[in-house]
Amino acid sequence: MIGTHALSIVTFLPLAGAVVIAFLSRERPSVVRWVALVFSLLTFLASAVLYGKFDPHVTGMQFEEFHQWIQVPPVNYHLGVDGLSLLLTLLTGLLTPLAILVSWNSTTRQVKEFYFFLLALETGTIGVFVSLDLMLFFVFWEVMLIPMYFLIGIWGHERRVYAAVKFIVYTMAGSALMLTAILYLYSVTGSFDFNDVLEHVSTSVLSPTAERWLFLAFFVAFAIKVPLFPFHTWLPDAHVEAPTAGSVVLAGVLLKMGTYGMLRFCLPLFPAASHEFAPVICILAIIGIIYGALVAMVQPNLKKLVAYSSVAHLGFCVLGIFVFNAQGMEGSIYQMFSHGVTTGALFILVGMLYERRHTFMISDYGGLATSLPVYSTFFLIVALASLGLPMLNGFIGEFLIIVGSYRMHAGYAALAATGVVLAAVYLLWMYQRVFYGDIRNEKNRALPDCNGREKLILTIAVLIILGMGIYPQPFLRRLDQSVATILQRSGQRTWLTTQSAPQTRPGGGR
């Protein structure tokens, strides 16, 4: 499978599955489900092979593909991955089959169209992570919007149309800014290829004023996608109204496109502006951490609580990026992957509960540990991972981010650490109200516990949570060179050029 077209295979396998589904009969929904699952599993297998074959000691992009697409203007089909895009591609390949499995019985109408859009969304998302041509990146960025819009607008809950329109309006506003910046870069560099543009801007083609405006155009587009405070207001509506599979992919993967864009484009292309705006961005990230946690704490809606927790956790990721040191940046990327697994699992768990009771209101539950002991155990493990308990995956990224923040500004670290405390408050309080105490509603007494399919989904998630929390080095090793390159381009030294910094990494060095 690994060859000259490895990335094309990983990118377009889901789309191939969507095309196959398009020709299947609507009268055979079980066949549609199995075809979707098989193609998503093949995509995950292909991404896992890429992960295994990736050489962590090589600087630069690997598995590159380059073909001319449009001659004038010069738009190229240029793909490649480094450690950053490799992990996010693997995350996309992992979460999509889980999203398909969790929707196996809950999606009963327009099954064919549902899985068509879900697989098309996977292709658009992977394409964003592997594109090395700015215009190709923008095309995949826009392609991703269409299936997500329909997944929310058709298969969502009561206010699904409002949430879908709000999602696409916010994202399209950011896209317009980003496209304007891309076209300006083309006008001054004569190329859309990331490497060519990077070479030109590194020779001071841009004036300081132009660099500031270009940085802001890219940054706002990515901040909306994160979403960073105060650009976050579309997220709770989208999450609450989306079907479970849509929430899993949205929280697990799509939000990471924003932080990925900051790392891939904002820092290397506009290093001076990145440093200039870093203090403001760090403050916004810290506000997001604390605000997201406080709002999550008072939510009566279980799904909205998990949605606001994403605002807080992604605030950590943005903070780790803009403290400009290797600990913070690797912690940010690790937190992206961890958040995708953990919050994806939380949305899966909430969706399973909704299938049984058709309500997200915390007040409608209570005492579920009595009737759902297996489900309650899985929920507790995932909640503890989300709040950053040591030995679980959520701890590693947050620890590195706080360490990196402390190296830049002790106040940043202290304020960010309050987010960890608040996460424990809102998650444990929620767990207490939902699972402990007496059963207040008789409808909860006879609820069925996890079936075999649900146990499989949750066991996979918990094993990944434990594995990443106990032994993070296989992931961190693949990030070293990528982070070193990004920091070098942004004018910072890395721990690859020092001897003392690796001692702060969990797991005993590199």
Side-chain angles (χ1 to χ4, degrees):
M1 183 176 293
I2 294 299
T4 56
H5 301 291
L7 290 182
S8 292
I9 293 172
V10 174
T11 303
F12 291 104
L13 254 178
L15 186 60
V19 171
V20 172
I21 287 174
F23 288 96
L24 296 176
S25 171
R26 287 188 176 86
E27 307 303 319
R28 303 179 68 185
S30 61
V31 175
V32 171
R33 292 187 181 97
W34 278 106
V35 169
L37 181 61
V38 167
F39 274 91
S40 66
L41 287 174
L42 288 174
T43 304
F44 171 66
L45 178 62
S47 62
V49 172
L50 280 179
Y51 177 85
K53 296 291 186 180
F54 184 86
D55 188 346
H57 305 294
V58 173
T59 302
M61 297 292 171
Q62 300 182 38
F63 311 112
E64 282 195 70
E65 299 179 36
F66 186 93
H67 305 283
Q68 188 180 70
W69 183 21
I70 302 173
Q71 187 171 1
V72 180
V75 181
N76 300 309
Y77 179 77
H78 188 187
L79 308 180
V81 292
D82 58 0
L84 167 62
S85 47
L86 176 74
L87 286 190
L88 294 175
T89 300
L90 181 66
L91 178 64
T92 308
L94 169 68
L95 290 182
T96 303
L98 295 183
I100 290 171
L101 283 172
V102 78
S103 62
W104 201 263
N105 293 328
S106 59
T107 303
T108 57
R109 60 186 178 89
Q110 296 175 284
V111 174
K112 174 179 172 178
E113 290 80 2
F114 178 84
Y115 289 107
F116 175 89
F117 285 125
L118 198 56
L119 289 177
L121 177 62
E122 185 176 16
T123 284
T125 306
I126 294 176
V128 166
F129 295 139
V130 301
S131 295
L132 294 180
D133 184 280
L134 292 178
M135 190 54 68
L136 182 66
F137 170 85
F138 182 79
V139 168
F140 278 117
W141 181 276
E142 295 299 290
V143 165
M144 170 277 306
L145 295 179
I146 300 169
M148 194 70 228
Y149 171 79
F150 284 112
L151 286 171
I152 298 173
I154 297 176
W155 291 274
H157 301 290
E158 289 78 8
R159 300 174 71 244
R160 56 186 178 272
V161 175
Y162 167 78
V165 171
K166 192 173 183 180
F167 161 76
I168 203 164
V169 167
Y170 267 71
T171 310
M172 288 293 290
S175 299
L177 292 173
M178 182 167 62
L179 179 60
T180 303
I182 290 173
L183 293 176
Y184 182 88
L185 284 173
Y186 169 71
S187 70
V188 297
T189 65
S191 177
F192 290 112
D193 190 84
F194 174 73
N195 293 330
D196 292 342
V197 173
L198 181 63
E199 182 179 353
H200 280 87
V201 299
S202 64
T203 58
S204 302
V205 165
L206 301 176
S207 67
T209 300
E211 182 175 341
R212 291 189 192 99
W213 283 110
L214 290 170
F215 170 84
L216 288 173
F218 273 96
F219 177 79
V220 170
F222 299 140
I224 291 172
K225 182 63 71 178
V226 168
L228 180 67
F229 178 91
F231 306 102
H232 66 283
T233 57
W234 65 268
L235 180 66
D237 292 309
H239 270 316
V240 171
E241 302 304 325
T244 300
S247 293
V248 170
V249 177
L250 178 60
V253 183
L254 265 61
L255 304 188
K256 314 308 181 298
M257 292 166 57
T259 45
Y260 169 81
M262 294 175 189
L263 286 163
R264 176 67 70 224
F265 299 108
C266 288
L267 268 62
L269 293 178
F270 318 112
S274 297
H275 285 278
E276 182 178 349
F277 289 106
V280 175
I281 295 170
C282 288
I283 291 171
L284 290 177
I286 292 169
I287 292 173
I289 292 169
I290 298 173
Y291 167 84
L294 291 174
V295 176
M297 195 183 303
V298 299
Q299 288 303 314
N301 185 301
L302 188 58
K303 200 173 187 185
K304 190 169 283 189
L305 182 151
V306 179
Y308 273 106
S309 76
S310 291
V311 176
H313 286 122
L314 269 296
F316 272 104
C317 294
V318 175
L319 178 63
I321 292 170
F322 283 92
V323 296
F324 290 99
N325 57 60
Q327 286 90 350
M329 195 167 290
E330 287 209 5
S332 174
I333 301 170
Y334 201 84
Q335 179 71 354
M336 292 181 212
F337 196 100
S338 297
H339 175 268
V341 175
T342 305
T343 305
L346 280 175
F347 277 115
I348 288 172
L349 285 159
V350 172
M352 290 176 179
L353 197 56
Y354 182 83
E355 287 183 35
R356 288 161 168 78
R357 285 283 280 109
H358 301 288
T359 176
F360 292 123
M361 302 308 293
I362 295 175
S363 59
D364 291 330
Y365 298 106
L368 292 187
T370 302
S371 54
L372 303 173
V374 175
Y375 174 88
S376 303
T377 302
F378 279 121
F379 204 116
L380 179 60
I381 296 171
V382 177
L384 292 174
S386 183
L387 63 84
L389 186 74
M391 302 299 289
L392 300 177
N393 65 340
F395 171 75
I396 305 296
E398 290 182 355
F399 171 76
L400 287 171
I401 291 168
I402 291 173
V403 170
S405 302
Y406 182 83
R407 293 184 62 191
M408 180 180 186
H409 194 296
Y412 292 168
L415 290 171
T418 62
V420 179
V421 178
L422 293 173
V425 173
Y426 68 74
L427 285 167
L428 294 179
W429 187 33
M430 174 271 292
Y431 190 85
Q432 179 187 10
R433 287 178 290 165
V434 172
F435 294 98
Y436 289 161
D438 298 327
I439 297 178
R440 299 186 299 271
N441 191 318
E442 288 302 314
K443 293 180 180 179
N444 297 329
R445 193 174 298 279
L447 294 179
D449 209 344
C450 294
N451 58 36
R453 174 180 56 86
E454 292 170 335
K455 288 178 182 176
L456 174 63
I457 297 170
L458 297 174
T459 299
I460 292 171
V462 167
L463 288 176
I464 296 171
I465 286 170
L466 289 170
M468 292 183 65
I470 295 170
Y471 189 52
Q473 292 309 312
F475 299 96
L476 293 175
R477 277 197 300 268
R478 285 166 172 78
L479 296 177
D480 280 344
Q481 293 294 340
S482 301
V483 169
T485 300
I486 294 170
L487 289 173
Q488 183 181 17
R489 288 169 176 170
S490 60
Q492 297 293 302
R493 296 181 66 195
T494 74
W495 63 41
L496 296 181
T497 59
T498 63
Q499 295 182 354
S500 59
Q503 297 173 3
T504 62
R505 293 176 60 174
R510 295 176 24 246

